[in-house]
């Protein structure tokens, strides 16, 4: 009998990938391989303003150079495609309908800056601070229930008051986050007509039958949010495994703005993937 393990790698094409992405994706690939399972590549090109086809193509090219491989993806096809989020709008809309009819979400025009990063994975600020949506901005329960379409407004998920969301992370062990303390009502739909990251990733991970999500530990709180969406949609959540983040020599975590550490530049500078995977940087934080 074949393995039922299905993992995924899910880059956002807003820039060239750096070594930190490669390390997370490498761990995802190894875990799929060790389990004798499948790895799915999903292009998270939701944000029409910030995602660029060149970065989508570049990510595939750079990861292939690095030695990553996958069984299903935009370049390979497969049974659970399409593998670009920009082509999966119907599924996201169905989920929006379900959530609003059941009263889990409400229209909201309060957010301003949030829009800028709403379809991005909402990585925490460096100091770990998380902005909690003010409770007194919430509209009455049931607001928006009869809307026919999301329209040109944001929609937020109403988190259950002070509920503790617990899960067992494959690397970190038991994790617990409390609604309204660790995170508040969060965006599920943006006023420019696309789903926010939290909704899209749940819909896709479920539809692509992902059994384990491997991603950076900056997304731990997102896992708590996403578990609420799974429950609201009546979907079975996957397992989670959060990887440590790769830091540069000054202890700052790598971001796409660190161009000198993009895979592309490393390749152009003549580095070999094998050697990069044996470097001290690569191993930092992995044995904690
Ligand atoms: N696309 C997200 C990112 O690049 C990752 C999402 C996820 O792994 O859930 O940060």
């Amino acid at each position: 009998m074949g393995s039922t393990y299905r993992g995924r790698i899910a880059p956002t094409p807003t820039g060239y990938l750096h070594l930190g992405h490669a390390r997370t994706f490498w761990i995802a690939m190894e875990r799929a391989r060790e389990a004798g399972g499948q790895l799915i590549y999903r292009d998270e090109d939701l944000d029409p303003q910030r995602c660029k086809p060149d970065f989508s193509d570049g990510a595939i090219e750079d990861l292939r150079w690095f030695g990553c491989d996958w069984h299903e993806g935009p370049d390979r096809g497969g049974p659970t495609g399409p593998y670009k989020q920009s082509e999966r709008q119907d599924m996201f809309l169905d989920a929006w309908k379900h959530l609003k009819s059941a009263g889990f979400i409400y229209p909201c025009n309060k957010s301003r800056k949030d829009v800028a990063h709403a379809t991005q994975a909402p990585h925490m600020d460096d100091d770990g601070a998380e902005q909690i949506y003010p409770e007194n901005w919430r509209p009455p329960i049931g607001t928006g229930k009869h809307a026919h379409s999301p329209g040109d407004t944001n929609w937020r998920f109403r988190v259950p008051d002070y509920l503790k969301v617990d899960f067992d992370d494959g690397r970190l062990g038991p994790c617990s986050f409390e609604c309204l303390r660790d995170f508040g009502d969060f965006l599920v739909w943006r006023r420019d007509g696309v789903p926010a990251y939290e909704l899209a990733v749940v819909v896709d991970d479920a539809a692509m039958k992902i059994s384990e999500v491997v991603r950076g530990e900056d997304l731990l709180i997102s896992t708590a949010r996403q578990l609420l969406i799974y429950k609201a949609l009546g979907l079975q959540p996957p397992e989670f495994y959060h990887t440590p983040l790769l830091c540069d020599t000054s202890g700052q975590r790598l971001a796409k703005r660190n161009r000198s550490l993009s895979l592309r530049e490393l390749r152009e500078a003549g580095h070999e993937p094998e050697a990069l995977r044996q470097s001290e940087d690569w191993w930092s934080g992995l044995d904690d």
Side-chain angles (χ1 to χ4, degrees), residues 4 15 20-21 28 54 57-58 65 67 69 72 76 90-93 105 118 151 155 160 179 193 229 231 258 271 284:
T4 52
H21 297 114
D54 276 359
D57 297 344
W65 164 76
D69 201 6
E72 300 170 27
R76 310 190 72 134
D90 291 353
M91 281 174 254
F92 303 139
L93 260 181
I105 60 176
W155 288 73
C179 298
I229 302 181
K231 190 144 186 254
N258 299 98
H271 290 275
S284 70

Side-chain angles (χ1 to χ4, degrees), residues 63-273:
L63 288 172
R64 285 219 177 280
W65 164 76
F66 195 71
C68 293
D69 201 6
W70 44 89
H71 302 87
E72 300 170 27
D75 54 336
R76 310 190 72 134
T80 60
Y83 295 93
K84 281 176 162 300
Q85 287 190 319
S86 57
E87 295 169 13
R88 300 174 65 83
Q89 185 78 353
D90 291 353
M91 281 174 254
F92 303 139
L93 260 181
D94 281 350
W96 170 84
K97 273 186 201 137
H98 183 104
L99 292 175
K100 70 93 199 170
S101 301
F104 286 107
I105 60 176
Y106 59 85
C108 159
N109 45 32
K110 288 279 188 195
S111 91
R112 293 162 292 270
K113 296 170 246 158
D114 286 1
V115 172
H117 63 262
T119 61
Q120 282 292 100
H123 305 275
M124 281 183 285
D125 294 336
D126 287 344
D127 62 3
E130 175 80 21
Q131 284 205 324
I132 311 280
Y133 187 78
E135 274 176 78
N136 58 357
W137 283 7
R138 287 171 150 179
I141 291 181
T143 304
K145 228 175 159 172
H146 303 294
H148 295 292
S149 72
D152 54 2
T153 186
N154 295 310
W155 288 73
R156 280 183 189 272
F157 191 100
R158 183 190 298 269
V159 302
D161 292 0
Y162 304 104
L163 180 79
K164 284 210 170 80
V165 182
D166 301 320
F167 58 95
D168 255 314
D169 182 74
R171 185 179 71 94
L172 298 166
C175 297
S176 181
F177 293 100
E178 190 175 342
C179 298
L180 296 182
R181 288 204 199 284
D182 295 316
F183 64 97
D185 293 357
F186 57 88
L187 281 183
V188 290
W189 202 272
R190 301 185 355 166
R191 63 174 163 223
D192 59 355
V194 292
Y197 159 75
E198 307 288 6
L199 179 62
V201 87
V202 167
V203 169
D204 283 349
D205 283 336
M208 294 178 179
K209 301 183 175 56
I210 300 304
S211 62
E212 182 182 71
V213 166
V214 176
R215 60 183 171 205
E217 66 187 11
D218 53 335
L219 289 169
L220 267 180
I221 288 195
S222 279
T223 295
R225 295 189 189 101
Q226 289 168 22
L227 285 168
L228 294 176
I229 302 181
Y230 277 102
K231 190 144 186 254
L233 291 174
L235 296 169
Q236 174 71 26
E239 301 290 323
F240 292 93
Y241 184 100
H242 290 86
T243 64
L245 301 177
L246 195 60
C247 293
D248 64 16
T249 42
S250 64
Q252 291 276 71
R253 92 175 149 78
L254 296 194
K256 284 186 182 127
R257 61 182 177 274
N258 299 98
R259 275 190 65 237
S260 58
L261 285 162
S262 72
L263 296 180
R264 193 145 285 233
E265 297 217 343
L266 290 167
R267 174 173 56 169
E268 281 161 8
H271 290 275
E272 293 292 340

